[in-house]
Amino acid sequence: MTSATVTARQDNSTFDCAGAQIRAHCRPLATVVTIRGEIDGVNVDRVGQYIRRFIVGQGPVVLDLSGVSHFTSAGIALLCGFDEDCCAAGVEWMLVADPAVTELLGDGCDQRPGEAMFPITRSVHEALHRLADDIVSRRQLVLPLIKKTA
């Protein structure tokens, strides 16, 4: 296998969406969807359609926007719609965002005072760690119930 073959395969796994490049990686704890480039009014609908395909089953989704260089208010609507779709499907999700994106989110969807609009983390590693901790917590809640029925 040559390096040109490897490069072609990497390019084939990236979806180009008018300024945004989207990749998805299925990991044991979650599907990680990484978006790089720009999210704006020109491509927000196509980006939304593409990322919604990863809301499947009960598997969590980590939406990584840490590589987004331009994020407009259209992106806030995208995240609000993604959040609603995840809630409707019963899918847990987390957002990885840099400070520029999180700053813009302060003007977005309705939220309660003192509460983050979305479950935000600083890195994919942190998001996966939090998901693993959530699994352990749920198991600890269920364990006493299992012991009572045994």
Side-chain angles (χ1 to χ4, degrees):
M1 185 179 304
T2 66
S3 63
T5 306
V6 172
T7 303
R9 284 188 182 172
Q10 289 175 346
D11 291 342
N12 288 338
S13 63
T14 301
F15 178 73
D16 188 19
C17 187
Q21 294 78 43
I22 307 170
R23 292 183 64 130
H25 300 279
C26 293
R27 297 197 177 176
L29 289 173
T31 299
V32 178
V33 179
T34 303
I35 303 176
R36 303 216 182 286
E38 301 178 357
I39 297 177
D40 55 24
V42 173
N43 64 6
V44 71
D45 291 334
R46 283 189 62 203
V47 169
Q49 289 173 350
Y50 190 79
I51 65 173
R52 282 181 179 87
R53 69 187 344 183
F54 300 105
I55 303 172
V56 293
Q58 296 298 316
V61 177
V62 175
L63 190 58
D64 179 9
L65 300 185
S66 62
V68 170
S69 59
H70 182 71
F71 188 79
T72 66
S73 57
I76 295 172
L78 168 81
L79 295 177
C80 290
F82 189 77
D83 183 55
E84 290 171 7
D85 291 346
C86 284
C87 287
V91 171
E92 184 177 5
W93 77 287
M94 293 197 170
L95 173 64
V96 178
D98 67 9
V101 172
T102 55
E103 187 176 307
L104 186 60
L105 290 176
D107 300 329
C109 305
D110 295 333
Q111 65 188 55
R112 294 180 204 132
E115 189 175 292
M117 184 184 328
F118 307 115
I120 299 176
T121 63
R122 292 178 299 238
S123 68
V124 170
H125 177 77
E126 180 182 326
L128 295 173
H129 185 72
R130 283 178 54 183
L131 289 169
D133 287 347
D134 290 348
I135 290 170
V136 169
S137 296
R138 284 192 292 267
R139 285 182 181 160
Q140 289 174 344
L141 290 172
V142 173
L143 190 59
L145 298 173
I146 294 172
K147 287 182 181 179
K148 286 181 183 180
T149 60

